[in-house]
Amino acid sequence: MVVQYQGEQNGIPTTFTIKINGNNLSKSSSNYQIDLLIGDKQLPTFTTLIHQSLSNCLKEVYLFRKYNKIKFDASSEKLESTVIPYDLVLYNHNKHALFMA
């Protein structure tokens, strides 16, 4: 799943892309990996490569954004055209973590 937001880093407008890779490694758990890109450049954001929940991944993106003064415009959200319905429901349920106060 790929989600894009318009935003700014240090006052410079740019596009941020979040790539979410969900892997069902076993029948009892899911594991997620998220890549954050500014333009075409991937940022080295994460303390761990794989998280056990999408919520934990998105919280880590939030903390990275806060520390690096990155702002996303929530209303500019744009999803790739081929989104799996389950992924969309799961993302919508957890995306509040990206915009915590």
Side-chain angles (χ1 to χ4, degrees):
M1 179 173 170
V2 177
V3 184
Q4 287 189 333
Y5 291 98
Q6 298 299 316
E8 62 180 45
Q9 181 179 20
N10 299 320
I12 301 170
T14 191
T15 300
F16 297 91
T17 305
I18 300 173
K19 292 184 179 180
I20 303 168
N21 300 313
N23 300 311
N24 239 345
L25 298 179
S26 73
K27 292 181 181 180
S28 63
S29 69
S30 294
N31 294 290
Y32 298 90
Q33 179 180 354
I34 291 189
D35 298 324
L36 177 63
L37 295 93
I38 295 181
D40 292 335
K41 185 174 94 175
Q42 183 171 342
L43 298 176
T45 57
F46 305 105
T47 56
T48 61
L49 293 177
I50 297 175
H51 295 274
Q52 290 185 344
S53 74
L54 182 58
S55 177
N56 286 345
C57 285
L58 297 177
K59 285 176 187 173
E60 192 160 348
V61 171
Y62 165 76
L63 291 173
F64 181 83
R65 286 182 45 234
K66 184 176 178 181
Y67 179 78
N68 289 288
K69 299 180 176 113
I70 296 171
K71 296 180 184 175
F72 288 173
D73 178 5
S75 66
S76 69
E77 180 179 279
K78 187 170 124 180
L79 297 165
E80 69 178 5
S81 59
T82 56
V83 176
I84 298 169
Y86 176 78
D87 290 344
L88 181 60
V89 169
L90 189 61
Y91 179 76
N92 284 334
H93 178 73
N94 288 289
K95 73 178 174 184
H96 69 278
L98 285 174
F99 304 102
M100 294 185 291

